[in-house]
Amino acid sequence: MDIIHLLPDSVANQIAAGEVIQRPASCLKELVENSLDAGAKRIQVIVRDAGRTLLQVIDDGVGMSETDARLAFERHATSKIREAQDLFSLRTMGFRGEALASICAVAQVEMTTRRAEDETGTLLEIHGSDVVRQEPCSCPVGTNIKVSNLFFNVPVRRKFLKTDQTELRNLLTEFYHIVLVYPKVAFTFVHNDEILLELPVGTEKQRIEAIFGNPKRNVYTSSFVDVNTETEMVTIRGFVVKPESATKKAEQYFFVNGRYMRHPYFLKAIQTAYSGMLPNDYQPSFFIYFDIDPEAIDVNIHPTKTEIKFADEQTIFQILMASVREALGKFTLAPQIDFETSGNIDIPLPTDTPVQRPQVTVDPTYNPFHTRGVIYPDKAPRNWETLYEGLQHTDRLADRTQSTDLLEPELLRAEDVESCALWQYDGRYILVPGTHGIVIINQHRAHAAVLCAQYLEQLSLAQGAMQQLLFPEVLSLAQDEMVLMGQIKEDLQAIGFDLEQLSPDSYSIQGVPSQIATQSPLPVLQHILNQVRERGADTQREWREQIAQAMAESAAIPYGKALTEEEMRDLVKRLIQLPQYKRASDGKIIASLLSDEEIRRRFA
Ligand code: ADP
Ligand code: MG
């Protein structure tokens, strides 16, 4: 007896629905994407009970003929591709022809639709894949789909839905992903008769502001910097926030060819571009739109997945990082927190009190009237405002932790460190009484910063001390690492590595810098290569910094190591001689002040 048979459509559709429609949000996404594919200029979304009871999408797109309306709910019925080849030139959002079939398998659907050329429209009602009604009707041009009682026939799925609050949040998230790409389409979103979003036609910036420019989301387009790079491989456009507008909870959006995507690797590129500019747990908000030949990305992905594979991710990583850096560069030459010429603001104007300049730039000599981070009013040139022309004022200096930290001119003076008592706390921190309170220094980061500066100097003088290895080690590398190695080899030798290419994919290491002689050189070298690659160093100065930094991290005293008072004093003295000692080059805090004021307050 034959045992293989075809599943009835209704069953097959339910199975497909499990993939495509997991929750109200995925249903909404499919419906709105269909409306966009249909060329709609105005799309209304009406939701009840976070989509459990009702999800309705009304559009003014091209509509469907009577036959197409019926066909649209069949599996693999699509007007968007005809043959496999079409997949590679895809410019519509849908293409699988699965969504409507899946939705009608697990809900009660009522649709009215009409094309401009037809006098009457079509009404179609389908419950769990069964057509219960199809008749002519009068309706406007476009399509109106009502999906009621989602999962009415799949109790397990219904049970899996989260609270209304969570499902509504999912709906909105999905909605944002779409509307951010279509500012030329007007949208409304109504939930339980309340208009949650009313998005008129506008520019991308206006759309972003309409969604996120509120106290809850805190993303204002006045703090944006434009990113704009066109290369043969990819066009990258969009906006990133100025460093001082970064927050702990940021809005981070990537889009590729009009689709939202998640991309942890590209996120890293952006974070790297900001390195050294943000406090520890702060994040930049960004909205980045990639345009790329569809053949260079993997389109035939799962409909609910938002991760997209690019053909040449490393190159795009570099381009992205460079364009964000360039965009930020325009704003970091001048100090990042600027004065406001009028209005109420916490930072005083340089009138009668000395004003502390934030010291956040890499080049402390840039500002001509910059004396140890403090500006004295008599030294400020009269036309000082012109220095800040073109820099928009940030509306949010409310970030106390950040600004006090950045504004603190000098935490420690050499003469204080000479004689004061020092404590080690928790095997991690050195406590130093300073002029404005107790300075807490992270021992590992402090040592790494000191070493990094030393290594950089050794690199520039090519005088790293080398120690021969008794047994040479072999470092095996991937192809791209071999290329990198070729680039930075001379600098590795300058700092004390003795290495030689052994085969097309390996190097032998015969000697190491004496500072790291006690460690296995392989992880250190691997770490250096990773840093250089990830941070995208492409000038000698940049990769030298990465080499020095990576070596310093490997060689610095670890957490948990007990230090004598003299060791601590020596370290602190060296640390405060560095031009920038409060933060490491990657933005991590090295020294932090527990201020007098704060200490007093605790005993008030
Ligand atoms: P896909 O979008 O992958 O083609 P769907 O199941 O989502 O598959 O839709 C099937 C077809 O129904 C579409 O190809 C399109 O021709 C038609 N369709 C769906 N929604 C609309 C709409 N809102 N307006 C006009 N046509 C639509
Ligand atoms: Mg579709």
Side-chain angles (χ1 to χ4, degrees), residues 52-127:
R52 273 170 230 274
T53 320
L54 175 72
L55 265 174
Q56 182 174 14
V57 175
I58 307 170
D59 70 49
D60 59 357
V62 293
M64 286 172 260
S65 71
E66 194 187 334
T67 326
D68 282 352
R70 178 66 195 81
L71 261 178
F73 290 91
E74 295 292 334
R75 258 179 105 206
H76 303 306
T78 178
S79 54
K80 300 169 194 172
I81 56 171
R82 291 205 170 269
E83 46 187 28
Q85 197 53 34
D86 295 347
L87 273 176
F88 295 102
S89 51
L90 214 55
R91 284 286 174 182
T92 54
M93 310 199 80
F95 57 87
R96 301 168 145 250
E98 244 169 6
L100 289 186
S102 301
I103 291 169
C104 79
V106 292
Q108 295 155 348
V109 179
E110 188 186 312
M111 176 177 84
T112 58
T113 185
R114 181 163 78 86
R115 300 182 300 176
E117 62 263 46
D118 299 333
E119 231 151 72
T120 50
T122 304
L123 180 149
L124 190 67
E125 205 177 332
I126 303 180
H127 291 183

Side-chain angles (χ1 to χ4, degrees), residues 323-343:
S323 16
V324 174
R325 264 201 193 151
E326 192 205 81
L328 292 176
K330 294 175 189 151
F331 286 87
T332 47
L333 277 177
Q336 284 164 7
I337 296 178
D338 32 273
F339 295 116
E340 189 175 45
T341 43
S342 62

Side-chain angles (χ1 to χ4, degrees), residues 573-597:
K573 273 161 60 186
R574 287 170 194 266
L575 177 71
I576 63 178
Q577 279 168 18
L578 301 179
Q580 283 269 52
Y581 67 80
K582 287 163 225 162
R583 279 177 196 284
S585 56
D586 57 3
K588 288 191 174 143
I589 295 174
I590 299 173
S592 170
L593 179 74
L594 179 60
S595 70
D596 285 339
E597 202 182 297

Side-chain angles (χ1 to χ4, degrees), residues 416-433:
D416 298 335
V417 177
E418 206 58 67
S419 53
C420 67
L422 300 169
W423 295 274
Q424 187 180 27
Y425 173 71
D426 198 26
R428 301 172 75 87
Y429 306 106
I430 301 171
L431 308 187
V432 195

Side-chain angles (χ1 to χ4, degrees), residues 519-537:
Q519 309 183 26
S520 163
L522 298 184
V524 179
L525 279 167
Q526 196 63 55
H527 182 53
I528 292 176
L529 285 168
N530 289 345
Q531 290 293 313
V532 174
R533 181 174 51 194
E534 277 175 27
R535 305 227 174 158

